[in-house]
Amino acid sequence: MPRYLEGWIKDVVENALRRPYLSRAREKPVLPLIPRIKKMKESGLNPIIAEFKRRSPSGFAQDRDPVEYSRLMEQNGAVAMSVITENTVFQGSYDYLYTVGKTVKIPVLMKDFVVTENQIDTAYDLGADVVLLIVRILTERELSGLLEYINSYNMEALVEVHDEQDLEIALRCGAKLMGVNSRDLISLSIQKEKMMKILEMLPRDVVKVAESGIETKEEISLLKEKGADAFLIGSSLMRDPDKIKAFVSG
Ligand SMILES: O=C(O)c1ccccc1NCC(=O)[C@H](O)[C@H](O)COP(=O)(O)O
């Protein structure tokens, strides 16, 4: 079992015990992401979800000011922000989620290893509009229940799949916004061919987000041909934020 998988359970338990954010009653309405992706596509632009990401188990490391970064992404056309909140390995935090949510007027995705309703309460309280659910770390009943719980807040769930089995489970649970992640959770390798194969298997009525390892406009064009509607990009934009203009314009 990769060491990083031990970290996030510690975060989940510690945050549940501390319940650190319930005092921060939500101050803004939930912003839907799916209509924004569709509208951006109709305008001939690439819907880019820019991820605020400081570290990763695969060796990425980049520090930036979350306010400055998220403002720059929004000003240059990002359809949404993604904020990693896992603390132990990714050095993310709930405070970054709250800060980015106060900074931008586009949807904000809480990217974490979500396994409890408590984490979804916290996501809502801190201003998230979308919450990540990773099929691989949940049973089908857990996925179905957490998806319903997210929807009860009028938030959307980005249901992330890594292979065909995940895909079948996600479809049975009624996922409408699905992420296909090229990063293998165990080997940490990027498997783009596999991601493109899964993208082509997704039904037309599901909004498809390609995730991980996207570095160039050319890759975005190829993923579009394979059916991707939106693109979640972390490392390459954190390293070079000015790439956002080219990524959005296509
Ligand atoms: O980024 C990692 O190394 C990683 C390893 C294990 C589990 C998740 C991981 N990343 C979370 C993500 O899904 C990515 O941060 C996100 O898709 C952006 O990927 P990238 O553009 O390659 O930074």
Side-chain angles (χ1 to χ4, degrees), residues 40 46 48-52 64-82 100 103-107 233-234 236-245 247-248:
M40 200 148 193
N46 294 324
I48 304 297
I49 302 170
E51 184 162 276
F52 183 74
R64 288 195 180 279
D65 173 71
V67 173
E68 185 183 314
Y69 183 72
S70 54
R71 197 169 279 156
L72 180 69
M73 292 297 111
E74 181 182 36
Q75 286 167 354
N76 286 285
V79 73
M81 289 302 298
S82 167
V100 169
T103 303
V104 300
K105 292 185 173 36
I106 54 178
I233 304 175
S236 61
L237 282 172
M238 285 291 286
R239 287 193 190 103
D240 182 359
D242 288 337
K243 279 185 172 180
I244 182 67
K245 301 181 188 81
F247 285 171
V248 167

Side-chain angles (χ1 to χ4, degrees), residues 6-20 88 94 113 115-116 118-119:
E6 298 157 12
W8 53 272
I9 282 291
K10 172 175 154 296
D11 286 358
V12 170
V13 173
E14 279 178 0
N15 283 313
L17 290 171
R18 285 207 317 258
R19 299 175 73 80
T88 303
Y94 285 141
F113 297 87
V115 291
T116 67
N118 173 269
Q119 288 171 283

Side-chain angles (χ1 to χ4, degrees), residues 26 28-33 36 49-52 70 74 78-85 93-111 123-124 126-132 155-158 177 232:
R26 187 180 180 108
K28 61 175 193 167
V30 173
L31 300 174
L33 175 56
R36 281 172 169 79
I49 302 170
E51 184 162 276
F52 183 74
S70 54
E74 181 182 36
V79 73
M81 289 302 298
S82 167
V83 179
I84 291 184
T85 52
S93 83
Y94 285 141
D95 287 335
Y96 292 139
L97 174 64
Y98 182 70
T99 300
V100 169
K102 298 282 284 182
T103 303
V104 300
K105 292 185 173 36
I106 54 178
V108 178
L109 161 68
M110 184 178 93
K111 208 134 187 291
Y124 177 79
L126 293 177
D129 304 289
V130 191
V131 179
L132 178 73
M155 295 191 289
E156 290 163 314
L158 175 63
L177 177 64
L232 194 149

Side-chain angles (χ1 to χ4, degrees), residues 1-219:
M1 178 69 74
R3 257 185 38 75
Y4 85 91
L5 285 176
E6 298 157 12
W8 53 272
I9 282 291
K10 172 175 154 296
D11 286 358
V12 170
V13 173
E14 279 178 0
N15 283 313
L17 290 171
R18 285 207 317 258
R19 299 175 73 80
Y21 295 96
L22 289 185
S23 58
R24 285 185 185 171
R26 187 180 180 108
E27 296 157 0
K28 61 175 193 167
V30 173
L31 300 174
L33 175 56
I34 289 176
R36 281 172 169 79
I37 289 175
K38 291 181 176 177
K39 187 174 177 194
M40 200 148 193
K41 281 188 65 181
E42 285 161 11
S43 309
L45 299 171
N46 294 324
I48 304 297
I49 302 170
E51 184 162 276
F52 183 74
K53 166 184 187 176
R54 297 180 61 230
R55 299 291 184 280
S56 83
S58 50
F60 174 78
Q62 180 71 54
D63 289 317
R64 288 195 180 279
D65 173 71
V67 173
E68 185 183 314
Y69 183 72
S70 54
R71 197 169 279 156
L72 180 69
M73 292 297 111
E74 181 182 36
Q75 286 167 354
N76 286 285
V79 73
M81 289 302 298
S82 167
V83 179
I84 291 184
T85 52
E86 194 278 338
N87 179 250
T88 303
V89 171
F90 288 83
Q91 293 187 22
S93 83
Y94 285 141
D95 287 335
Y96 292 139
L97 174 64
Y98 182 70
T99 300
V100 169
K102 298 282 284 182
T103 303
V104 300
K105 292 185 173 36
I106 54 178
V108 178
L109 161 68
M110 184 178 93
K111 208 134 187 291
D112 206 327
F113 297 87
V114 174
V115 291
T116 67
E117 290 182 354
N118 173 269
Q119 288 171 283
I120 295 164
D121 293 335
T122 301
Y124 177 79
D125 289 345
L126 293 177
D129 304 289
V130 191
V131 179
L132 178 73
L133 292 178
I134 301 173
V135 175
R136 183 64 58 81
I137 65 172
L138 299 165
T139 66
E140 184 161 344
R141 281 184 61 176
E142 287 167 336
L143 176 64
S144 181
L146 292 175
L147 189 52
E148 190 177 335
Y149 194 69
I150 289 168
N151 292 156
S152 75
Y153 278 111
N154 286 325
M155 295 191 289
E156 290 163 314
L158 175 63
V159 179
E160 180 176 289
V161 299
H162 290 79
D163 62 19
E164 291 168 55
Q165 189 180 1
D166 289 354
L167 166 59
E168 286 163 16
I169 293 168
L171 291 176
R172 282 200 296 269
C173 292
K176 291 299 175 211
L177 177 64
M178 287 177 64
V180 183
N181 200 321
S182 63
R183 171 94 51 194
D184 183 273
L185 291 174
I186 303 300
S187 69
L188 304 188
S189 63
I190 291 283
Q191 300 173 1
K192 288 191 182 162
E193 290 303 316
K194 187 175 172 185
M195 172 165 74
M196 288 189 274
K197 181 172 157 242
I198 301 290
L199 278 170
E200 291 182 311
M201 296 170 70
L202 288 177
R204 288 178 57 83
D205 64 339
V206 166
V207 175
K208 309 163 190 64
V209 181
E211 300 178 65
S212 294
I214 301 172
E215 304 274 344
T216 67
K217 285 170 50 174
E218 292 70 24
E219 284 175 315

